[in-house]
Amino acid sequence: MAEKKDAAKKLKEKLLVQRKNAYHLISEKDLKACDKFCEGYKDFMNKAKIEREAVIYSIELLKKKGFVEFKEGMKLKAGDKVYRNNRGKAVLAAIIGTAPIAEGVRLCAAHIDSPRLDLKQNPLYEDTEMAFFKTHYYGGIKKYQWTTIPLALHGVIVKADGTSVTVNIGEDEKDPVFCVTDLLPHLAAAQMQKPMAKGIAGEQLNLVIGSRPFKDDEESGSVKLNIMNILFEKYGITEADFISAELEAVPAFKAKDIGFDRSMVGAYGHDDKVCAYTALMATAECKKPKHTVVTVLTDKEEIGSDGNTGLRSAYLEYFIADIAENLGSDVRTVLSASECLSADVNAAFDPNFPEVNEKNNCAYINRGVCVTKYTGARGKSGTSDASAEFTGRIRRLMDKEKVIWQTGELGKVDEGGGGTVAAYIANLNVDTIDLGVPVLSMHAPYEIVSKVDTYMAYRAFEVFMAD
C-alpha cells in the first residue's frame, strides 16, 4: 500500500502542476538577498512617487552604473551603455550586446505613472472662508478611498517668464499635508444609500489647503489671497501660473513593511513602480549581454498610454531605430527579431474577495512573479495574447534559471479586466508577454506586494536580459 502511495506521489509530481509557496522553495541565501533588495525598493518608492521623480531617480542610478546620454553622432559598440530622457517623464536605457543588432533586442517595458489626483488648470478657490484646490482624478480609482487621508503635492510649475519651480510638499515630517473631506456618519444617511461608485463625486475631490484669512483684508476672498501670498513668497508664482503647472496630489504615506514577519511591502504606487524598479535594477546590473538590452520606463499607461510620453507614441520605436541605424541595421529588421517582457503587475488573489477570481487561473501572493499570457476584458479585448511558442520560451527560461513563477489572468471572464502596454509593443511586430508582481488592493492609495515576488521579478528580468 505504501509503495502505491509513493508511486502516486511521484506521478503527481511528474504530471500535475505543483503550486507552492515560494518560501518553501527559496534558499536562505536568496532570502537574504530578497530582503536586502526590498530595502532599496522602499527607498525608491519614497523618493519617486510621480513619473518626473522616477525619471530623475533612474537617470542618477544609470549614470552611477556607467550609462551616458545617447546623443546624435555617437558611435556605438558592444558594451556601451546609453540612456535617453523623454521630456522628463519617460526614460529609456540600452546596453549594446555582442550579437549583431539584427538579431533583435531584449526589451523590458514598465510604467512609472500611478493613479492620483491632478490639480485643474484653475484650481484655487475659496468657499465659506476655507481655501481649496480643485482636482481631476487620473487613472482608475475608487474615489471614496481618496478622502480623509494625508496627501502630498508633487510636480512642477512653469511661470510666465518660462522658468520652472519644482514642488514637493507633504513628504518631510515638518511639512503640512492636504486632505479631501468626507461626511460624518451621523449626517451621511443619504450618502450611504448610494452605490459605492457614487458615494463621492469627482467634483467633490477638493483638497483643503487653508483657512486663515489675510490679516489686512476683511473682505471675501481673503483666505484665498493669503494662500496665494504664501505661494508667491515661497515660489514666486501668481494664480495665473497654475495654468502651466502639473501638480499631482499623492498619498503622503511612506513605504513600510507589512506583517509581523515583514514579508510584504505597503506603499503608494506599486502599480507599476514595482516592475519599473526591478527592471531598472536588472538593467543597471546587467553586464556584457549577448543581445542588446533596452528598458523603457514610460508614462501615461494609467490613462491609455496616449501622448508623446506614453507608449502609443513613437519614441520607443525612434530610440530603437537610432540604435539600429547606428549599428548598421534598420528598425524593421530589429523589431521583428526582438522579444519583450511587458513589465506590469497583476491582481493578487484576496481571500476577503474570492468571488472575482477563478482560483485555478489567478495570481497568488508569495508564489513568485506572474507570467500573464493575455490581459484585456470580456473576449480578450485590448490584449496582444502571447503565442504558445513565446510563452513556452519564457516558461523554459524561468525554469532553467530557477526563477519562481506562476501564471494568472485578471479576474473571472466577464468580471472586468484591464490592459497593459503589451499590445502597443506587440503591434511593432515584437514577441511580447506580460510579466510582473501580484498586487493586493491595486489602485488604492496604499497597495501591498510580497517581497519574494518582487525579488523574483528582478530575477526574471535579469535572466531575460542575460539569455
Side-chain angles (χ1 to χ4, degrees), residues 44-73:
F44 171 76
M45 293 300 281
N46 289 333
K47 292 177 178 176
K49 287 193 173 181
I50 67 171
E51 65 283 0
R52 291 178 184 271
E53 294 164 351
V55 168
I56 291 168
Y57 186 104
S58 300
I59 291 175
E60 288 178 353
L61 175 66
L62 291 169
K63 284 181 176 180
K64 289 178 183 177
K65 295 296 183 177
F67 286 74
V68 298
E69 187 174 4
F70 185 31
K71 295 181 179 178
E72 188 176 349

Side-chain angles (χ1 to χ4, degrees), residues 319-332:
F319 182 67
I320 295 176
D322 289 343
I323 292 174
E325 292 167 11
N326 193 295
L327 295 169
S329 188
D330 63 272
V331 68
R332 184 176 65 179

